[in-house]
Amino acid sequence: MMSRANTTINSRPRRNNNSRNRSARSSRAAERQQQRRQVNDAFASTFDAPNPPPLPRLRQNNTPDNPRTAAAAQNTNNTESAPAQSPPTADPPSDPSEAEEEASDSESDASNSDDDAEDNDASLPVDPPQNPQNYEQQWPAPPPHPPNSRFPPVRVNRPKSYPSYASELRHFMRYTNKLNYPKDWVFSVEELLPITPELIYAYMAFKAFGKEDPSPNDNPHRGMSNSLLAIKKKLSYFMVNRIPSWDPTHQTGNPTKSTQLNDLIAFVKKKETRGQGKNSRSDRAFEHSEFKQVLDECHASIEADFDRKYRFPTMMKFMFHFIARGDDAAHVFKSSLVPSIQYPWLLTCKLRWSKNVRETRECPRQILLGSMNTDYCLMLSLSVFLESWISRGQGRTSQWLFSDGITTASSHDDAIDREAARCKTRLYSCIKSIVHSDEFVRIRPHQAIDH
């Protein structure tokens, strides 16, 4: 009897715990769904129209307010029998980083005061809809290209992030021409030639200040100078005369290379320096103790997790030694690691695929030194990693020093980038999991300054 009673008594809290766990999981799922909705709402409100076409507004007794709306109402009545056509939907930015950046820029849209609307009535909605989704949906589709249209040639040195370049140009042309260009639209030379620095200035000012003509007392609460520099770079890629600077006298040249835009970016930088701009969300560098924590956590991993125990610590030490990025370390060839001719007991390496390397002279051989500290000795980590990796068989077929793969130097760039990107993504995921863990101790800003 006692055993049954004990069994019954002990089983009740177990059922209560299960119910509490289910309720906790349901509440967490509801919170995640609410967060996704907030992110979607923030992204949908990113493109608040500076001047969308106002809809005809009628009174209660169907009497128009003014002659313009009367004409619009007359046209509406005449076309009631025509089938309704849904406006083309606007496509989101193709680059996730761009979508995240623009979604973050829209966080301050709700805090715009009425003073901005009074100072710049022409650039803000006259009668915004009750439930706006995207102001670009209110704009008509562009007319088709004329038969004699000219198109710029396809450039060979197209950047890897070309979709984000094309997306930025498409958003700029939508903002300027009030037309909803589709995602596959190719802009002709006739459409690109009328672009002037004044149009780009208005677009960039609206991105940073929320208005097209900011005054010296306005603060860039919506965008940062780095965002404006990225816009300038992406738009400059598509300009017809992109080599020469802008000539205001003859109205020729590259409109992104104008003093007007440079002054705007310099003004935003000054506001950021004074603490009057948008708060930066950039990541800071690791402190010494934080970097040591990541290495110790990786070294303490189990033997079966080869990447976490051997590969990733060696890559981090390589990045620390050469002041390189994760993409640089993932693109290092085995053939680039050779002994030094002058000092045979040392190694040298080349970073051929670095971000800003365009010529051979920009990637000289860099010397690789050992260290008396075993935690930072790159030679010791490389010897252990390469011996284990090659003995496992995976390191024999790869041309990379750290990445797994079967490509060669003559393979397509897309296949090569996919192999290196997989290794880089796994490395960053490992670092992120360690940094976001509860055991990781962050150094506060004042502690880092004292250190």
Side-chain angles (χ1 to χ4, degrees):
M1 293 297 293
M2 290 297 294
S3 60
R4 292 182 179 177
N6 291 336
T7 304
T8 306
I9 292 172
N10 294 332
S11 61
R12 289 175 182 173
R14 200 170 298 168
R15 288 197 297 268
N16 295 335
N17 291 334
N18 293 335
S19 62
R20 284 196 294 268
N21 292 336
R22 285 195 297 270
S23 61
R25 286 195 297 269
S26 61
S27 61
R28 288 195 296 268
E31 292 177 359
R32 288 195 296 269
Q33 186 176 5
Q34 182 67 18
Q35 292 176 358
R36 286 194 295 267
R37 289 178 179 176
Q38 292 176 358
V39 173
N40 294 335
D41 294 342
F43 178 74
S45 62
T46 302
F47 306 100
D48 292 337
N51 190 12
L55 301 176
R57 182 173 55 186
L58 302 180
R59 292 184 180 179
Q60 302 258 337
N61 54 2
N62 295 331
T63 304
D65 295 336
N66 49 54
R68 292 185 179 180
T69 54
Q74 184 66 25
N75 296 334
T76 304
N77 296 332
N78 294 337
T79 59
E80 281 183 354
S81 59
Q85 297 181 357
S86 60
T89 58
D91 57 299
S94 58
D95 191 47
S97 59
E98 181 188 356
E100 181 182 357
E101 177 184 354
E102 295 184 352
S104 64
D105 291 343
S106 65
E107 293 177 357
S108 59
D109 292 350
S111 62
N112 290 341
S113 60
D114 296 335
D115 298 337
D116 295 339
E118 294 176 0
D119 296 338
N120 194 10
D121 293 336
S123 62
L124 295 178
V126 179
D127 188 15
Q130 297 297 330
N131 187 18
Q133 296 295 330
N134 194 323
Y135 71 86
E136 297 174 352
Q137 296 180 358
Q138 304 178 12
W139 294 340
H145 290 295
N148 57 349
S149 298
R150 297 176 300 163
F151 295 94
V154 179
R155 295 170 57 180
V156 178
N157 58 340
R158 176 175 292 187
K160 295 181 181 179
S161 58
Y162 176 80
S164 66
Y165 282 59
S167 178
E168 191 64 51
L169 176 65
R170 192 164 55 250
H171 291 316
F172 166 73
M173 298 298 286
R174 288 173 179 174
Y175 181 91
T176 303
N177 299 332
K178 306 299 184 292
L179 295 176
N180 190 7
Y181 293 97
K183 188 175 182 179
D184 57 348
W185 186 269
V186 179
F187 292 95
S188 62
V189 176
E190 290 76 14
E191 293 174 309
L192 298 175
L193 282 177
I195 297 177
T196 59
E198 290 74 19
L199 298 177
I200 304 178
Y201 180 92
Y203 176 72
M204 294 172 62
F206 181 77
K207 282 280 190 177
F209 295 89
K211 54 196 305 186
E212 295 183 355
D213 52 348
S215 64
N217 296 324
D218 293 329
N219 295 326
H221 59 277
R222 296 187 59 184
M224 303 188 65
S225 58
N226 289 335
S227 301
L228 301 184
L229 288 173
I231 294 174
K232 177 181 177 181
K233 176 182 177 181
K234 293 176 181 179
L235 295 183
S236 177
Y237 178 84
F238 298 97
M239 297 298 104
V240 180
N241 300 322
R242 63 186 184 88
I243 301 300
S245 301
W246 179 257
D247 185 2
T249 305
H250 301 89
Q251 297 290 308
T252 57
N254 189 345
T256 62
K257 297 181 179 180
S258 62
T259 57
Q260 191 174 2
L261 301 183
N262 295 335
D263 293 342
L264 177 63
I265 297 175
F267 177 70
V268 175
K269 286 184 178 180
K270 184 176 69 173
K271 287 287 187 178
E272 293 174 358
T273 305
R274 295 179 176 180
Q276 297 176 328
K278 183 181 177 181
N279 295 330
S280 176
R281 300 193 308 161
S282 58
D283 298 331
R284 63 174 177 86
F286 275 125
E287 296 295 331
H288 177 268
S289 60
E290 294 174 338
F291 187 68
K292 184 69 166 52
Q293 289 182 67
V294 177
L295 291 179
D296 292 342
E297 186 67 24
C298 291
H299 290 153
S301 302
I302 59 177
E303 193 73 22
D305 195 348
F306 177 79
D307 291 346
R308 191 182 180 97
K309 189 174 182 63
Y310 297 107
R311 189 196 306 269
F312 297 153
T314 308
M315 292 184 67
M316 286 187 283
K317 294 174 186 178
F318 184 89
M319 295 161 58
F320 177 78
H321 191 93
F322 287 98
I323 317 178
R325 304 176 302 125
D327 188 68
D328 302 336
H331 280 96
V332 174
F333 293 97
K334 287 180 183 177
S335 58
S336 299
L337 187 66
V338 297
S340 174
I341 299 177
Q342 188 175 1
Y343 307 101
W345 60 90
L346 299 179
L347 298 176
T348 60
C349 187
K350 277 189 175 184
L351 301 180
R352 300 176 182 270
W353 283 63
S354 186
K355 179 180 179 181
N356 298 321
V357 170
R358 296 293 183 270
E359 300 178 4
T360 305
R361 61 181 180 180
E362 295 177 351
C363 58
R365 290 201 171 274
Q366 304 183 48
I367 195 166
L368 194 155
L369 299 173
S371 175
M372 296 298 294
N373 189 346
T374 57
D375 294 332
Y376 291 92
C377 184
L378 180 57
M379 280 192 172
L380 180 61
S381 297
L382 267 177
S383 60
V384 175
F385 163 69
L386 291 177
E387 182 179 358
S388 303
W389 187 37
I390 295 175
S391 62
R392 293 162 63 96
Q394 300 174 354
R396 299 179 182 179
T397 59
S398 177
Q399 64 173 341
W400 309 110
L401 185 61
F402 298 107
S403 306
D404 294 329
I406 57 174
T407 59
T408 60
S410 59
S411 301
H412 291 287
D413 289 349
D414 295 337
I416 294 177
D417 289 335
R418 281 195 297 268
E419 288 183 351
R422 284 196 295 267
C423 181
K424 180 186 67 174
T425 303
R426 296 200 308 269
L427 170 65
Y428 288 163
S429 299
C430 174
I431 298 176
K432 186 181 295 183
S433 64
I434 297 175
V435 172
H436 292 174
S437 63
D438 298 335
E439 294 80 9
F440 187 79
V441 180
R442 296 176 181 268
I443 303 298
R444 298 186 181 275
H446 66 277
Q447 294 177 351
I449 293 175
D450 296 341
H451 179 71

